[in-house]
């Protein structure tokens, strides 16, 4: 195993000016729980583009999770008593550290998760934005003076920390999907136990721990435990944990909800999507096909918000297919660390097999692959499927790969029916030359986020982020929604002096 400085050079490239944030001698084989401690087991983090081992991160088992949750519960009351100005100052410093170490952190994201450089850069920006928005929570009221029906009694409703929050994050956006939970939870006085995905133990785990450690967060308030299903189940069932924030697939989310529900934990589940892009007959085909390509192929389609179904009016379908296929066929695929590419690798072989199965089943059912449709190792070509119907796998399932199924419709009512013909309801978009017509269609779409003359992959820290149906259990991240999400109401009354009651 290389030394920390050698690893940093390998990740950053020569000439890095900033002192590296990640010294492998500190985190290799360790977890962050009251400081860096030896882990019960380890995970080799592998670069999907090359198969090279980037490092050996510590991983947690059920016992390590139990110890972390108990320690977090012990540390949380003192953290909640720290003045809010000091708590948000630490969160703001964490945002600054993301920017300060941007080159190093972008390079890790490119190599560990297969992100292209532009996606990696935007994820750092979005993560810093989430932390800045969390720090801004200090400007919002956390309580109200209420009228009391009892003379001589004051009545106050105030928001108080939940306690210990368990956060479970996926591998596709490991920075931002951690920061959008960890930042506001800490700013509002909670302790956090973060379980990072085993596919990205460094970007989803080590980086988060180091950022907050450097920002000055007291030991014991944040615990970072990469691990698999055993660690996740232990976190969901631990009696010290009062809330679970989970981002991942709908199937796993249902299991998380069942496990956490047994101890009556608060739950926020941000799950899968099957998001439609509706292209009306008066749309600008050049702009619409660009939106469709970006929405389906960005980060290899491994985004819950991805354009999963292209619903196109039958009168312009051939033109749209031609434009979309032209775009897809010219998008280079390769190693984003060494080549200028539009698509990097799929995260692992299991996911490649899933994408290929859906494509093969859809083509066997009568659809046509106009371009792509096959993999070279973990590299999957951008794929456009024509002739897709609502009975086919590419319409029904969340693909999570660079596949663009195109389905035609004859009028706006049919477009809405097709868009809503799914259990999911995360995001949707409408393309039209008439903003008024697009708005009428958008109003009828069953999705938590709807975008007009845009595509579905959108996120802004001030906006409430969440979906309907099987995409969410109703919670929303972001902006003032964070006050509701990471605190709970407490009603408190007081009298000047105790008085006797009738008996």
């Amino acid at each position: 195993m290389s030394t920390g400085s050698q690893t940093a050079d390998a990740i950053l490239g020569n000439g890095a000016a900033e002192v590296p944030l990640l010294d492998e001698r500190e985190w290799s084989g360790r977890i962050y729980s009251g400081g860096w401690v030896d882990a019960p087991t380890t995970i080799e983090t592998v670069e999907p583009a090359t198969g090279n081992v980037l490092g050996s991160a510590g991983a947690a088992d059920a016992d390590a999770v139990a110890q972390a949750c108990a320690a977090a519960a012990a540390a949380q009351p003192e953290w909640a008593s720290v003045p809010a100005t000091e708590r948000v100052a630490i969160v703001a410093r964490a945002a600054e550290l993301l920017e300060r170490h941007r080159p190093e952190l972008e390079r890790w994201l490119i190599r560990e998760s297969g992100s292209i450089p532009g996606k990696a850069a935007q994820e750092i920006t979005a993560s810093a934005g989430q932390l800045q928005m969390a720090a801004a929570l200090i400007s919002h009221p956390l309580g109200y003076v209420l009228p009391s029906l009892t003379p001589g009694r004051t009545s106050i409703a105030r928001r108080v920390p939940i306690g210990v929050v368990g956060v479970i994050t996926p591998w596709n956006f490991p920075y931002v999907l951690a920061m959008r939970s960890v930042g506001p939870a800490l700013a509002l006085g909670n302790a956090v136990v973060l379980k990072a995905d085993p596919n990205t133990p460094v970007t989803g785990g080590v980086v988060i721990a180091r950022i907050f450690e450097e920002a000055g967060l007291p030991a014991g308030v944040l615990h970072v435990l990469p691990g698999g299903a055993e660690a996740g189940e232990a976190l969901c069932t631990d009696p010290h944990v009062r809330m679970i924030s989970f981002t991942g697939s709908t199937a796993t989310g249902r299991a998380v909800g069942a496990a956490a529900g047994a101890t009556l934990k608060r739950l926020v589940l941000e799950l899968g999507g099957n998001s439609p892009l509706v292209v009306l007959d008066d749309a600008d085909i050049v702009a619409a096909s660009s939106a469709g390509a970006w929405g389906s192929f960005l980060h290899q389609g491994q985004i819950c918000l991805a354009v999963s179904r292209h619903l196109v009016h039958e009168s312009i379908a051939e033109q749209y297919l031609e434009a979309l296929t032209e775009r897809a066929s010219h998008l280079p695929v390769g190693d984003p660390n060494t080549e200028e590419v539009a698509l990097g690798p799929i995260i692992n072989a299991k996911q490649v097999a899933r994408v290929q199965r859906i494509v093969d089943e859809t083509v066997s059912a009568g659809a046509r692959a106009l371009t792509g449709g096959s993999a070279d190792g973990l590299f999957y070509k951008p794929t456009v499927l024509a002739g897709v119907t609502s009975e086919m796998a590419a319409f029904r399932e969340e693909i999570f790969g660079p596949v663009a199924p195109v389905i035609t419709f004859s009028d706006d009512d049919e477009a809405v029916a097709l868009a809503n013909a799914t259990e999911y309801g995360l995001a949707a978009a409408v393309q039209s030359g008439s903003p008024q017509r697009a708005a009428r269609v958008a109003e009828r779409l069953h999705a938590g986020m709807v975008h007009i003359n845009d595509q579905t992959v959108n996120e802004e820290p001030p906006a409430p982020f969440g979906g309907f149906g099987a995409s969410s259990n109703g919670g929303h991240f972001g902006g003032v929604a964070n006050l509701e999400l990471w605190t709970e109401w407490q009603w408190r009354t007081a009298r000047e002096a105790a008085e006797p009651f009738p008996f």
Side-chain angles (χ1 to χ4, degrees):
M1 185 63 66
S2 60
T3 66
S5 59
Q6 290 170 330
T7 299
D9 287 344
I11 297 297
L12 282 165
N14 295 327
E18 183 67 47
V19 176
L21 181 74
L22 306 183
D23 185 337
E24 188 180 335
R25 292 167 296 187
E26 182 173 54
W27 58 263
S28 181
R30 295 177 177 178
I31 53 177
Y32 187 71
S33 189
W36 293 100
V37 298
D38 291 340
T41 186
T42 59
I43 302 171
E44 280 193 340
T45 180
V46 176
E47 183 176 29
T50 64
N52 293 335
V53 175
L54 301 176
S56 180
D61 59 11
D63 288 340
V65 171
Q67 293 171 18
C69 293
Q76 188 271 329
E78 183 176 352
W79 172 243
S81 71
V82 170
T85 52
E86 295 182 23
R87 295 200 306 265
V88 301
I90 290 172
V91 174
R93 282 199 294 273
E96 294 170 1
L97 286 163
L98 282 173
E99 292 290 354
R100 184 183 307 170
H101 293 279
R102 177 183 281 272
E104 180 185 6
L105 301 186
E106 286 183 8
R107 188 58 55 189
W108 265 104
L109 201 58
I110 290 166
R111 298 196 66 184
E112 189 178 47
S113 76
S115 300
I116 62 172
K119 181 266 186 186
Q122 178 56 31
E123 185 167 352
I124 297 288
T125 299
S127 300
Q130 290 290 345
L131 293 178
Q132 291 159 356
M133 188 59 58
L137 289 171
I138 195 172
S139 65
H140 296 283
L142 296 176
Y144 301 93
V145 177
L146 307 176
S148 177
L149 303 181
T150 303
R153 183 167 72 176
T154 60
S155 177
I156 297 173
R158 66 186 192 126
R159 302 209 67 90
V160 298
I162 293 168
V164 178
V165 174
V167 177
I168 303 174
T169 54
W171 47 262
N172 57 337
F173 283 80
Y175 293 157
V176 71
L177 296 181
M179 293 304 189
R180 74 174 182 185
S181 290
V182 174
L186 291 175
L188 291 167
N190 301 286
V192 176
V193 180
L194 168 66
K195 191 205 81 69
D197 191 279
N199 286 290
T200 50
V202 175
T203 51
V206 174
V207 168
I208 312 301
R210 286 290 297 123
I211 285 288
F212 281 100
E213 183 181 28
E214 286 293 297
L217 187 70
V221 177
L222 171 65
H223 302 254
V224 181
L225 313 173
E230 178 190 1
E233 183 177 2
L235 186 60
C236 290
T237 58
D238 192 278
H240 295 100
V241 177
R242 296 301 309 140
M243 174 181 175
I244 293 291
S245 170
F246 171 82
T247 303
S249 72
T250 296
T252 304
R254 288 190 169 106
V256 166
T263 51
L264 303 180
K265 290 176 171 56
R266 176 182 289 195
L267 278 167
V268 56
L269 304 174
E270 199 270 284
L271 308 174
N274 192 355
S275 300
L277 170 66
V278 178
V279 184
L280 302 179
D281 55 1
D282 59 354
D284 180 327
I285 292 175
V286 172
S289 63
S290 178
W294 178 263
S296 284
F297 304 138
L298 177 64
H299 196 39
Q300 300 78 262
Q302 300 173 120
I303 307 174
C304 60
L305 296 169
V307 172
S308 303
R309 294 170 297 148
H310 299 239
L311 308 180
V312 184
H313 193 276
E314 59 189 11
S315 67
I316 61 169
E318 288 303 316
Q319 296 168 274
Y320 183 85
L321 280 165
E322 182 179 349
L324 184 63
T325 301
E326 176 71 11
R327 292 180 186 279
S329 64
H330 287 91
L331 292 175
V333 182
D335 183 350
N337 186 49
T338 59
E339 307 171 64
E340 290 190 12
V341 297
L343 284 78
I346 298 289
I347 191 66
N348 55 40
K350 180 180 179 181
Q351 184 59 24
V352 170
R354 171 185 168 80
V355 174
Q356 193 64 60
R357 174 189 63 78
I358 292 173
V359 169
D360 290 346
E361 287 183 8
T362 302
V363 171
S364 295
R368 295 171 291 125
L370 301 186
T371 187
S374 62
D376 180 5
L378 297 186
F379 299 100
Y380 204 94
K381 297 177 182 177
T383 299
V384 177
L385 300 178
V388 177
T389 66
S390 59
E391 296 80 25
M392 296 179 181
F395 182 97
R396 293 182 286 102
E397 299 186 47
E398 181 182 28
I399 303 171
F400 230 64
V403 179
V406 178
I407 304 96
T408 62
F409 61 85
S410 59
D411 57 34
D412 292 4
D413 288 341
E414 185 182 9
V416 171
L418 286 168
N420 292 339
T422 175
E423 66 173 344
Y424 299 101
L426 188 57
V430 183
Q431 290 270 335
S432 172
S434 168
Q436 294 80 14
R437 181 184 176 195
R440 289 193 297 271
V441 171
E443 287 174 358
R444 300 166 63 192
L445 299 181
H446 185 70
M449 297 168 284
V450 182
H451 309 286
I452 293 174
N453 283 332
D454 203 334
Q455 43 79 46
T456 57
V457 184
N458 279 288
E459 178 272 345
E460 293 181 359
F465 186 105
F468 300 160
S471 292
S472 172
N473 69 333
H476 284 71
F477 299 91
V480 295
N482 282 325
L483 292 177
E484 292 283 343
L485 198 59
W486 305 105
T487 64
E488 52 193 350
W489 283 111
Q490 182 188 68
W491 180 39
R492 191 173 73 184
T493 69
R495 296 177 186 243
E496 288 293 328
E499 296 182 14
F501 288 86
F503 55 85

